[in-house]
Amino acid sequence: MTATASPQTTVLAEQRLDRPTRPAKHRLSRRALGWQIGLYALLIVLALIYIYPFLVQVATSFKTDAAAAADPISLAPQPFTWAAYERLFLNSDFPVWFGNSVVVTVFVTAGRVFFNSLAGYALARLQFRGRGIVFAGLIAVMAVPTVVLLIPKFLVINQLGIYDSYAGMILPLLVDAAGVFIMKNFFESIPPSVEEQARIDGAGTFRIFWSVVLPMARPALITIVILSFQGSWNELSHFVISTQSPELTTLTKGVASLASGQLSQGSQFPLKLAAAAIMTIPVAVVFFIFQRRIMNASEGAVKE
Amino acid sequence: MSALSPARRRAGSSSSGIRRGEAAAGWLFTAPVLIILGVFLLVPVLMALWVSFSDWTGRGSPFSSNVGFVGLDNYAAVTTGGGLAERDFGTALRNNAWYVLLVVPLQTALSLFLAVLVNRAILRGRGFFRTAFYFPSVTSSVAITVLWLFLFSSSGAINEVLSWLGVNGPNWFSDPSGVVHNLLGAVGVTSGPAFLTGNTLLGVSWWDWLAGPSVAMSAFILMAVFTTSGTFMLLFIAGLQNIGGDVQEAAMMDGANGWQRFWRVTLPQLKPVLFTVLTLGLIGTWQVFDQIYTGTQGGPGKTTLTPAYLSYSAAFLSQQWGQGAAIAFVLFVIIVALTILQRFVLRDRPVSRRRLRQYEVPAAASGSGADRPRAKKGAQR
């Protein structure tokens, strides 16, 4: 962050040295001020466009149906009502959906953290015949668009007899090639001498991985946790094709069915928006806690 | 790729010494990933390939003896069949093509614009603005679609704002009219010339291919730009921070103004990031599914039908498994082909003579200025 500050200030300084004429400098600073004000105005308008919809969402969830239609922009519910939330929690399958999303997300995240780091470590550090092929295979896998896999995945899940079960929902999501890459890149950045010490002391490969290297990989592990959490919590298409019974409906699937009119006559926007808002809360909480890391994670992904 | 040679070199000695058992551990460690990706990715693709050549109806195993091989029939049905399957596929391709055509440039330009705005070192509240722009990207597409259905409903916030400007907003998600057709209608053109209306491609007349995205699809287009610009903004910020200030400085000394510096200095250096963003955008926009499933299920008038959703509905709702799988594979080919094409278009090539002249004119006085941008690019690699 600060690294970018210095070259730019030196640029300004040098430019002034280059053309020290007074009127020009004076004009520049006034124009710069104008630019600055314009820039902030633009940024604030843009930020409002990005944030306001979410504020409207929360506000509307406390409105009555009539108020939601009559006054779609206001942030003050008139009258204020908990009706939508009461309906969701006391009179619908919403708690079941929430529970299912939690179960799937916990297992998928735990699985991805463990399996991705195992594979990432092997690809980064262990010498074995075929490593290059495994690596190339993973790259190929990442290139396959997920939507194309909807029917294929269903076929296999059905053949294996795990259609409409937690196994069918969780197993296929348990690893992801992108996560393996993140872990591999991180392990490659840890100096090998750390492991050599342990190896001389007689530790086995798994022991070295588990007690020496993995604890050092905490930043990368947190990245995987965040990505897996977001990915599995927000996943829709996989659950659409792997389940059908109401007891296994996840939040995404349930809220999607709400949107298309189940459980409601008329538009019932407060109800739908309340469901969508609750669904967004866990992701938002994780986002605000790990904000800096989330931003850096995606930056790291391109830097390689 | 360099990982291959040391692996091979050391593989011989791995049977003895302190690295004993490493090969076994290597396979053991990668086994869960390989097995799961193999079972749920590689095998399924092969199975689906078989299904796309078969007349399987969804009952029993696709490998049972009463499932027949029908060759390219399923592919023919959706591409040349002349029936509803072909028309639906054509419509879906039309819809998605407009979606890609509008979303990819818009999201790329907007995210680059946001990145440049937010990347200024002297900007106060940089973190806040970045967070604001990025937040829509982390929320689920289902939740955003629900929100969008509300914002763009006939009595929603968007129409309310439009009414302040004196515009009578449409009933967005139930308006199947094409935007280009509407614009033409505004200048009095309501029906196309015979050579456009008379000839068809994939069961859809040329005039309908040129209809533009429907009003309903336009709302989805805006949504895609809204939700993805934050992610790509982060990629561009990372790219911008990798660029050293020295080239900017040199251009400044040579008298380039802000606009010239952006187009001639910054943008060429961002080319790798630009390539990533365009590729991810292209791959993502051909896969629109969640929004359609949650929002419109292809309606109104099939104008939000996309190949991904059509593939799903053909297989799971209409039990046309062969056709569904065939659509998925055609979609796969489209995505791969466009990615390769784009890589070809954006490949590194020697600076053209016309381009070179642009660099030479202002640099005539200072001499060495001409090759500076290129020299920097070479150094990056």
Side-chain angles (χ1 to χ4, degrees), chain B residues 178-191 207:
Chain B
V179 168
V180 173
H181 275 183
N182 287 349
L183 288 176
L184 287 175
V187 293
V189 182
T190 48
S191 59
W207 175 247

Side-chain angles (χ1 to χ4, degrees), chain B:
Chain B
M1 291 303 105
S2 60
L4 228 145
S5 51
R8 218 162 255 171
R9 190 155 31 81
R10 288 195 210 163
S13 64
S14 70
S15 55
S16 63
I18 205 155
R19 287 184 168 272
R20 185 160 22 98
E22 234 184 68
W27 282 108
L28 207 63
F29 278 27
T30 44
V33 169
L34 293 179
I35 291 170
I36 292 177
L37 288 180
V39 171
F40 293 107
L41 215 132
L42 195 66
V43 172
V45 167
L46 297 176
M47 271 178 87
L49 203 59
W50 158 248
V51 167
S52 78
F53 292 116
S54 79
D55 59 2
W56 187 53
T57 54
R59 254 177 240 112
S61 163
F63 299 113
S64 72
S65 55
N66 48 13
V67 174
F69 177 79
V70 296
L72 288 170
D73 280 8
N74 290 315
Y75 290 90
V78 296
T79 54
T80 55
L84 184 67
E86 186 199 351
R87 200 157 60 245
D88 281 355
F89 186 58
T91 310
L93 277 183
R94 192 268 318 256
N95 299 337
N96 213 335
W98 280 107
Y99 182 89
V100 173
L101 201 66
L102 288 164
V103 171
V104 172
L106 280 176
Q107 75 187 8
T108 308
L110 180 62
S111 53
L112 178 57
F113 179 66
L114 293 177
V116 170
L117 279 187
V118 169
N119 193 45
R120 287 164 184 255
I122 35 158
L123 186 75
R124 276 164 199 276
R126 243 180 351 161
F128 165 76
F129 289 118
R130 284 187 193 186
T131 306
F133 300 146
Y134 186 57
F135 185 69
S137 309
V138 298
T139 59
S140 87
S141 45
V142 173
I144 299 261
T145 306
V146 172
L147 176 56
W148 228 246
L149 290 173
F150 172 65
L151 293 177
F152 283 80
S153 64
S154 57
S155 64
I158 299 296
N159 281 353
E160 178 103 351
V161 172
L162 287 177
S163 73
W164 298 344
L165 307 170
V167 178
N168 205 351
N171 191 354
W172 294 85
F173 282 109
S174 40
D175 191 338
S177 64
V179 168
V180 173
H181 275 183
N182 287 349
L183 288 176
L184 287 175
V187 293
V189 182
T190 48
S191 59
F195 72 94
L196 284 181
T197 49
N199 297 311
T200 63
L201 174 68
L202 289 171
V204 178
S205 78
W206 280 104
W207 175 247
D208 283 335
W209 274 93
L210 297 174
S214 69
V215 173
M217 193 53 131
S218 308
F220 280 127
I221 288 171
L222 291 173
M223 182 170 125
V225 175
F226 176 73
T227 50
T228 52
S229 49
T231 315
F232 293 140
M233 173 193 74
L234 290 188
L235 298 190
F236 277 124
I237 290 175
L240 285 170
Q241 295 193 338
N242 275 352
I243 299 177
D246 50 342
V247 185
Q248 281 277 345
E249 211 171 302
M252 229 169 193
M253 298 293 259
D254 288 347
N257 63 29
W259 194 247
Q260 287 172 324
R261 283 203 308 274
F262 177 76
W263 281 105
R264 304 271 165 77
V265 180
T266 309
L267 206 56
Q269 292 188 83
L270 279 179
K271 207 166 129 182
V273 188
L274 199 62
F275 174 71
T276 309
V277 168
L278 288 172
T279 306
L280 291 177
L282 213 52
I283 293 173
T285 46
W286 275 105
Q287 299 194 60
V288 202
F289 176 83
D290 291 9
Q291 301 88 311
I292 310 300
Y293 178 89
T294 308
T296 53
Q297 272 102 35
K302 295 190 177 168
T303 59
T304 61
L305 203 61
T306 62
Y309 185 79
L310 184 65
S311 160
Y312 159 80
S313 70
F316 290 87
L317 306 181
S318 319
Q319 303 298 315
Q320 299 281 354
W321 289 88
Q323 285 182 15
I327 293 169
F329 281 106
V330 174
L331 182 60
F332 186 34
V333 171
I334 290 174
I335 294 173
V336 171
L338 281 177
T339 313
I340 293 171
L341 175 76
Q342 188 223 2
R343 172 154 243 157
F344 177 75
V345 170
L346 273 178
R347 75 193 184 281
D348 274 315
R349 43 193 155 197
V351 178
S352 71
R353 202 163 278 173
R354 188 180 57 84
R355 192 73 186 279
L356 206 58
R357 222 175 291 135
Q358 291 181 325
Y359 288 119
E360 272 163 3
V361 173
S366 62
S368 66
D371 50 8
R372 231 180 242 150
R374 280 195 297 145
K376 171 68 184 173
K377 261 186 98 178
Q380 269 187 331
R381 252 172 273 127

Side-chain angles (χ1 to χ4, degrees), chain A:
Chain A
M1 306 277 149
T2 43
T4 50
S6 55
Q8 261 174 328
T9 41
T10 50
V11 168
L12 285 173
E14 275 174 28
Q15 196 190 30
R16 265 177 216 149
L17 278 177
D18 205 28
R19 299 176 197 137
T21 41
R22 275 198 74 150
K25 187 183 163 191
H26 186 70
R27 202 179 60 216
L28 193 97
S29 65
R30 184 179 288 174
R31 233 176 65 185
L33 187 72
W35 269 108
Q36 205 74 314
I37 292 169
L39 173 69
Y40 280 104
L42 180 65
L43 277 170
I44 288 165
V45 169
L46 282 171
L48 266 180
I49 293 175
Y50 276 84
I51 294 172
Y52 204 81
F54 295 100
L55 301 179
V56 165
Q57 176 178 23
V58 174
T60 307
S61 69
F62 292 108
K63 289 177 186 173
T64 59
D65 283 7
D71 202 0
I73 290 187
S74 94
L75 294 184
Q78 287 287 345
F80 184 93
T81 168
W82 286 95
Y85 291 91
E86 275 168 23
R87 177 87 204 275
L88 277 180
F89 280 103
L90 303 176
N91 264 322
S92 77
D93 289 338
F94 192 81
V96 176
W97 304 343
F98 199 94
N100 284 329
S101 277
V102 170
V103 168
V104 170
T105 302
V106 165
F107 277 100
V108 168
T109 306
R112 284 195 186 176
V113 166
F114 184 64
F115 293 133
N116 289 353
S117 50
L118 262 183
Y121 180 71
L123 288 173
R125 281 300 158 76
L126 302 181
Q127 317 292 343
F128 60 99
R129 203 180 285 269
R131 190 172 76 161
I133 295 165
V134 171
F135 192 73
L138 283 176
I139 294 178
V141 159
M142 290 211 312
V144 179
T146 48
V147 163
V148 173
L149 288 170
L150 285 184
I151 296 172
K153 263 196 202 159
F154 166 77
L155 294 173
V156 161
I157 289 170
N158 206 22
Q159 267 322 63
L160 292 177
I162 53 173
Y163 178 72
D164 211 22
S165 73
Y166 280 118
M169 295 163 81
I170 294 167
L171 273 178
L173 299 178
L174 223 44
V175 304
D176 73 315
V180 175
F181 275 86
I182 294 176
M183 291 313 298
K184 174 183 177 286
N185 281 343
F186 192 86
F187 285 130
E188 277 170 348
S189 73
I190 297 178
S193 54
V194 175
E195 296 150 68
E196 265 146 33
Q197 197 70 44
R199 192 171 288 126
I200 288 163
D201 289 348
T205 311
F206 186 79
R207 182 72 195 275
I208 294 173
F209 162 75
W210 186 254
S211 344
V212 179
V213 191
L214 204 58
M216 295 175 77
R218 233 178 70 177
L221 291 178
I222 293 175
T223 304
I224 302 284
V225 168
I226 295 166
L227 292 179
S228 316
F229 172 81
Q230 272 176 15
S232 47
W233 186 266
N234 292 340
E235 175 66 49
L236 169 70
S237 56
H238 175 64
F239 302 137
V240 166
I241 57 107
S242 63
T243 60
Q244 68 182 154
S245 48
E247 317 70 273
L248 289 177
T249 302
T250 57
L251 266 181
T252 42
K253 216 180 139 188
V255 174
S257 72
L258 261 189
S260 55
Q262 256 184 48
L263 196 80
S264 57
Q265 312 85 22
S267 55
Q268 294 218 350
F269 277 118
L271 182 78
K272 295 172 185 173
L273 289 172
I278 297 174
M279 180 176 163
T280 309
I281 289 172
V283 188
V285 167
V286 169
F287 175 67
F288 285 112
I289 293 175
F290 293 105
Q291 203 181 29
R292 181 136 297 176
R293 190 168 299 281
I294 292 173
M295 304 282 200
N296 288 339
S298 21
E299 286 176 13
V302 246
K303 269 188 204 158
E304 294 279 282

